[in-house]
Amino acid sequence: MKKGQTEIIGLVIIMMLIVFIGLIALKFMSFGNNDDLKDTSLSIKANNLVNALTKVDIDGVSLKNNAVKCCNEGCNVNFEDEIKNIMNKSLEGDYSLIISEENGQECAKIGICNAGISSSKYFIRDEGDKFSINLLLCN
Amino acid sequence: MKKGSLKIQETIMVMFVFIVIFFLVMIIFYRFTINSIKEEERNYKLERFNLMIEIIPNMPEFKCSELGKEIDCVDVLKLLGFKNLNNEYYNEMFKDKTIYFEEIYPEENGQECVSNYFNCGKFIIADNAEAGLRVSGPVVLYYANEDEYKIGKVVIQEEK
């Protein structure tokens, strides 16, 4: 085989390698959006559930009053049990319902999820005090 | 064989090998592209399906409203009304789906509601899919006669 032909074959091999590497890179780039899909779904569920909790009396008491009690005296055991009951019936994964004071300090956390998709914060005002409630859903 | 024709044959051979390799690469690229398009299509369908837990409860046919203003809940009376509506348009829209709303708090009652909502807690909107994709999400159910809210969930199933 002549020198020129050997060079052409070498060039072809290099070109093929570049194309293969490009294809593999393309494949990884185009399949990276599956997590977004799950996050959107979890975000919808979290927001809908917080909206539901704010409209319903839990153990005969509104969420606002329960949250204020959680921050001032500690959560009622029945309230915690009812929240767990609702979460288990409506969600599949882990969750955390977090009640916080205005400065961001947590008053109560029901559930075991530490990092996940969060709902929008629902703010509560009670005689000048401000609390927030948000729901965290893990995958 | 003359030196010139030998060179031409060599060039043809090199060109042939090059073209074969080029077509092989093109075929592989084509397959990758087709597979990625199919994957995109699957993801799109899955996304559209998953978003139905937001779309269905927000349909004006089910959503609460007061003097034209929409409220974030599902009106149980509308669900009952819809159940008894045999409309071709909706039959076509939900032809491959099973959709139902179920009360989960304060009480859970799997009994199907047909003409009223007493002693029952399940409102079946469509029942046309036995198995396949399934998604569920929380909703607020509003009982207008009692002016009462309850927590429920919407379950949607679709034939694959």
Side-chain angles (χ1 to χ4, degrees):
Chain A
M1 200 176 273
K2 284 178 182 173
K3 198 184 167 191
Q5 287 173 336
T6 319
E7 277 178 0
I8 286 173
I9 289 170
L11 191 69
V12 167
I13 290 169
I14 288 167
M15 288 300 289
M16 276 182 68
L17 277 173
I18 290 169
V19 169
F20 270 116
I21 290 166
L23 283 175
I24 290 164
L26 266 178
K27 189 175 160 61
F28 278 110
M29 280 161 69
S30 61
F31 295 143
N33 56 0
N34 259 350
D35 285 346
D36 294 348
L37 190 80
K38 216 170 183 180
D39 290 354
T40 310
S41 178
L42 282 178
S43 171
I44 291 169
K45 285 181 185 180
N47 283 309
N48 284 355
L49 197 48
V50 169
N51 174 44
L53 290 171
T54 57
K55 286 192 165 69
V56 177
D57 285 353
I58 295 161
D59 198 28
V61 184
S62 70
L63 183 70
K64 179 191 166 184
N65 291 342
N66 270 315
V68 171
K69 198 179 174 192
C70 277
C71 285
N72 293 334
E73 305 160 31
C75 287
N76 188 334
V77 179
N78 283 350
F79 170 66
E80 285 193 17
D81 289 345
E82 292 293 351
I83 290 288
K84 284 175 189 167
N85 177 28
I86 292 167
M87 297 294 174
N88 292 334
K89 280 178 185 170
S90 50
L91 301 169
E92 284 108 31
D94 290 335
Y95 61 85
S96 279
L97 184 78
I98 299 165
I99 303 168
S100 314
E101 285 176 324
E102 194 174 6
N103 58 12
Q105 190 167 353
E106 278 182 19
C107 303
K109 184 179 174 184
I110 304 168
I112 54 164
C113 176
N114 289 321
I117 301 299
S118 174
S119 68
S120 304
K121 281 192 174 176
Y122 177 77
F123 290 101
I124 297 168
R125 269 189 192 283
D126 180 64
E127 295 168 1
D129 293 328
K130 204 171 160 188
F131 305 100
S132 69
I133 296 171
N134 73 307
L135 180 65
L136 210 59
L137 298 184
C138 285
N139 286 337
Chain B
M1 202 175 274
K2 282 179 183 174
K3 200 180 170 186
S5 55
L6 198 68
K7 269 197 169 181
I8 289 170
Q9 276 185 3
E10 279 176 5
T11 312
I12 289 169
M13 283 297 285
V14 170
M15 287 297 290
F16 178 74
V17 171
F18 183 80
I19 288 167
V20 166
I21 291 168
F22 178 77
F23 274 103
L24 275 175
V25 170
M26 286 303 289
I27 288 166
I28 292 167
F29 181 73
Y30 173 77
R31 287 206 168 178
F32 265 120
T33 311
I34 290 291
N35 282 343
S36 75
I37 289 169
K38 280 182 181 171
E39 188 69 28
E40 285 291 320
E41 188 195 359
R42 266 196 296 273
N43 281 343
Y44 170 71
K45 280 184 178 170
L46 197 64
E47 187 170 359
R48 204 179 55 172
F49 178 71
N50 280 337
L51 287 178
M52 286 184 85
I53 56 165
E54 181 74 354
I55 294 166
I56 299 286
N58 281 307
M59 282 172 68
E61 289 86 341
F62 310 127
K63 195 169 184 172
C64 301
S65 62
E66 191 179 6
L67 300 172
K69 187 187 159 206
E70 290 189 333
I71 305 165
D72 260 344
C73 59
V74 173
D75 192 330
V76 165
L77 291 178
K78 285 188 178 181
L79 293 180
L80 283 174
F82 188 88
K83 192 175 169 49
N84 300 316
L85 179 80
N86 193 11
N87 185 296
E88 226 173 82
Y89 172 74
Y90 295 112
N91 290 345
E92 180 63 26
M93 187 189 279
F94 300 140
K95 67 179 179 190
D96 57 349
K97 292 179 185 68
T98 289
I99 301 167
Y100 62 87
F101 291 83
E102 199 174 20
E103 188 187 316
I104 56 172
Y105 186 84
E107 284 165 45
E108 194 174 15
N109 187 340
Q111 189 75 30
E112 187 189 344
C113 300
V114 182
S115 55
N116 61 56
Y117 53 73
F118 303 110
N119 301 319
C120 61
K122 192 174 181 181
F123 304 89
I124 299 175
I125 301 304
D127 190 9
N128 303 314
E130 291 293 317
L133 296 171
R134 186 181 190 275
V135 68
S136 70
V139 290
V140 191
L141 299 174
Y142 179 61
Y143 293 75
N145 289 345
E146 289 83 15
D147 190 23
E148 190 183 2
Y149 292 98
K150 293 180 181 178
I151 299 177
K153 68 176 175 181
V154 57
V155 180
I156 302 160
Q157 262 178 280
E158 190 177 73
E159 296 269 356
K160 267 187 182 172

